[in-house]
Amino acid sequence: MTKSIVVLGTQWGDEGKGKIVDLLSKDVDAVVRFQGGHNAGHTLVTDGHKTVLHLVPSGILNEGAQCLIGNGVVVSLEALKKETEALEAHGVDVRSRLGISPACPIIMPYHELLDHAREKAKGAKAIGTTGRGIGPAYEDKVSRRGIRLSDLYNPGLLAEKLEEAMDFHNFVLDRYFGMQTLSYDRVLDDTLQLGACFSELVTDVSGELHRLRTQGKRILYEGAQGSLLDIDHGTYPFVTSSNTTIGAVCTGAGVGPDAIDYVLGITKAYTTRVGSGPFPTELFDDIGAGIARRGDEFGATTGRPRRCGWLDAVALRRAAHTNGVSGFCVTKLDVLDEVETIKVGIAYRLDDEILDVPPQNPEAWDDLQVEYESFPGWMESTRGITRFDDLPDNAKTYLAAMEALCGAPVHMVSTGPDRKEIIVIKHPAE
Ligand code: GDP
Ligand code: IMO
Ligand code: MG
């Protein structure tokens, strides 16, 4: 019996991870976030009611699931407080089920200011970040200047560490960006107050996972962003600042590789991207606009319109290798219901060379030509279908082609935003 499942995005994020984690969470004992921060926007729809989560794991609507935030997540306590309060206002008991690792780096107010200042300074070359301070917070962690959650319960240590961090960042804000600096006393007070709100939730996540595993409990690891936004394997520098691929589960939750039994790679039936950077199969025509409209393609965190394009089997092939994908979950199949001819990028051409996986030198992405294969659309509604056999033949053919082209079997198909709009071909926990 499979015990632990990892859910990962295999494109540029927003593949529908939240929906799938929510529906799988009824079959597990704990759901764990292990990287990213509140740059994530994970949408859950249950009986028509929409919940958007940024930091709280997407198992929170299932009372049987403990929710954990591992050390790999950069945490804005202000954002977490808002999110927790909003959930509690809707009757969701967050505090009794949420645990946060004391080793989580804290996103501080200067991180957000620096994120904005840098993007502004980059002008046309901006990354298009979510502006949440994610990059600067991860930089502070790596430079060993970061404030961790545990520091907030040791005021003397916090005061000392904050002084060093703010000396540096206020200097950069003032002298490099010509911006207003932040008051040390104010930041210290606010941080101590926010820390106090979460003191009871501090949990040794790695230790807790070990305990759950020895009891034979099932654990679900919830990825944020997607493989193409990975700091090492993505379209650098147009990426996020964490590893979004499989290795981050071990480092960001504090478990060994034997903790992973099944990797579910989430992909849309087409492709989207928010922010700047290469997107070889991007559409600039009415078909792309139609997909954006039917798919309601606006970012769940920033509300920005998402760029839309055809499925990119070349990039998905790489994601399948990089993550050891056991099976794909194809989401938003219904969005293609009215597309007459559906194309899939099956290879890249770079100069005269044909590539079946993307190049690893990022600048080459700008010069790629895409080779496509065309598939006839099904031109009927698949919305809400829950049995594979009920899908139109052309949809079945498209999914079979995806399996053959992308290097892993399709185990689930999502046919609408609601939790119950799902086809389960093979359940990841079985
Ligand atoms: P995540 O970041 O990977 O969790 O994905 P987001 O929540 O940012 O974006 C996915 C969007 O697609 C959300 O608005 C979901 O409600 C919606 N969605 C998920 N699965 C489906 C589906 O199968 N069909 C349709 N039409 N919408 C879906
Ligand atoms: P979920 O978990 C889509 C993108 C931003 C930007 C780049 C860097 O909902 O799939 P950052 O703020 O992380 O420094 O921005 O990464 N990005 C996402 N795009 N979905 C996300 O999360 C994203 N999180 C970050 O748009 O291009
Ligand atoms: Mg999202």
Side-chain angles (χ1 to χ4, degrees):
M1 178 74 71
T2 302
K3 292 271 181 332
S4 294
I5 306 163
V6 180
V7 170
L8 293 176
T10 55
Q11 299 171 306
W12 278 289
D14 303 328
E15 297 89 350
K17 300 174 291 293
K19 165 183 169 160
I20 303 302
V21 171
D22 168 61
L23 81 90
L24 293 177
S25 65
K26 74 174 187 330
D27 301 317
V28 301
D29 302 289
V31 179
V32 192
R33 277 281 307 270
F34 53 89
Q35 48 71 232
H38 66 309
N39 48 352
H42 295 181
T43 314
L44 286 46
V45 182
T46 48
D47 296 326
H49 179 76
K50 184 166 155 178
T51 307
V52 181
L53 299 172
H54 302 286
L55 269 171
V56 172
S58 300
I60 201 69
L61 300 186
N62 279 289
E63 284 173 12
Q66 194 177 340
C67 289
L68 298 168
I69 298 180
N71 60 278
V73 177
V74 282
V75 175
S76 157
L77 290 175
E78 207 180 333
L80 186 60
K81 186 162 180 279
K82 266 195 209 140
E83 194 170 326
T84 306
E85 286 170 357
L87 284 163
E88 283 171 349
H90 280 93
V92 184
D93 180 11
V94 182
R95 299 187 75 91
S96 68
R97 290 181 25 234
L98 181 67
I100 315 166
S101 166
C104 286
I106 301 300
I107 301 187
M108 302 294 289
Y110 42 84
H111 293 138
E112 201 179 304
L113 284 184
L114 286 163
D115 195 352
H116 286 285
R118 284 204 207 138
E119 284 285 277
K120 199 168 159 214
K122 275 181 183 279
K125 290 186 175 160
I127 307 290
T129 71
T130 59
R132 300 297 191 264
I134 306 292
Y138 274 118
E139 284 168 35
D140 266 6
K141 161 180 162 167
V142 175
S143 70
R144 294 167 287 198
R145 195 192 299 125
I147 309 285
R148 289 175 153 205
L149 183 60
S150 58
D151 300 333
L152 275 46
Y153 308 106
N154 183 342
L157 177 68
L158 177 67
E160 202 180 300
K161 287 183 77 170
L162 189 65
E163 193 174 356
E164 188 195 324
M166 288 194 68
D167 264 358
F168 179 77
H169 290 306
N170 271 339
F171 179 84
V172 175
L173 284 171
D174 176 33
R175 303 288 288 274
Y176 189 77
F177 290 113
M179 286 175 63
Q180 185 95 41
T181 57
L182 290 172
S183 146
Y184 168 80
D185 290 335
R186 174 91 194 268
V187 173
L188 181 62
D189 282 355
D190 290 353
T191 307
L192 284 168
Q193 266 188 39
L194 280 167
C197 301
F198 292 99
S199 59
E200 283 159 23
L201 274 52
V202 178
T203 306
D204 172 355
V205 169
S206 171
E208 180 65 7
L209 290 172
H210 181 68
R211 195 181 66 80
L212 291 171
R213 288 183 61 215
T214 49
Q215 292 175 352
K217 304 281 191 193
R218 283 181 179 170
I219 297 156
L220 196 164
Y221 299 90
E222 175 182 9
Q225 292 82 51
S227 294
L228 294 167
L229 288 171
D230 183 282
I231 185 78
D232 290 295
H233 300 284
T235 47
Y236 191 86
F238 297 98
V239 292
T240 191
S241 299
S242 66
N243 283 111
T244 59
T245 47
I246 192 73
V249 175
C250 294
T251 52
V255 294
D258 60 325
I260 300 166
D261 299 304
Y262 180 101
V263 182
L264 184 65
I266 317 287
T267 172
K268 281 177 179 160
Y270 48 95
T271 311
T272 63
R273 166 161 216 175
V274 217
S276 319
F279 182 173
T281 60
E282 185 166 9
L283 285 163
F284 299 95
D285 56 9
D286 288 349
I287 300 178
I291 291 175
R293 194 173 51 250
R294 276 188 63 91
D296 196 19
E297 294 295 356
F298 293 91
T301 295
T302 57
R304 290 178 291 175
R306 297 177 182 142
R307 300 153 66 189
C308 295
W310 298 120
L311 190 80
D312 185 340
V314 188
L316 280 169
R317 227 170 266 151
R318 169 83 78 191
H321 303 168
T322 314
N323 296 300
V325 168
S326 316
F328 278 115
C329 170
V330 179
T331 61
K332 304 192 98 160
L333 187 76
D334 55 297
V335 173
L336 298 183
D337 284 351
E338 288 171 12
V339 182
E340 245 168 37
T341 302
I342 302 168
K343 290 189 183 183
V344 177
I346 56 164
Y348 294 160
R349 191 204 304 260
L350 184 61
D351 302 324
D352 283 331
E353 208 187 335
I354 299 286
L355 307 177
D356 60 8
V357 285
Q360 288 200 295
N361 48 328
E363 22 355 298
W365 281 73
D366 295 332
D367 304 321
L368 296 171
Q369 304 292 316
V370 182
E371 305 268 310
Y372 288 100
E373 188 171 335
S374 296
F375 297 86
W378 39 95
M379 304 303 283
E380 60 181 286
S381 175
T382 60
R383 180 70 187 257
I385 289 182
T386 55
R387 284 164 26 106
F388 184 80
D389 287 348
D390 294 343
L391 286 175
D393 285 344
N394 285 352
K396 289 181 187 159
T397 305
Y398 183 67
L399 292 167
M402 279 186 73
E403 288 194 338
L405 290 166
C406 302
V410 173
H411 283 167
M412 295 173 84
V413 181
S414 174
T415 54
D418 204 280
R419 189 194 268 171
K420 56 182 184 285
E421 295 173 311
I422 190 79
I423 299 170
V424 180
I425 300 164
K426 180 187 177 301
H427 195 293
E430 280 156 13

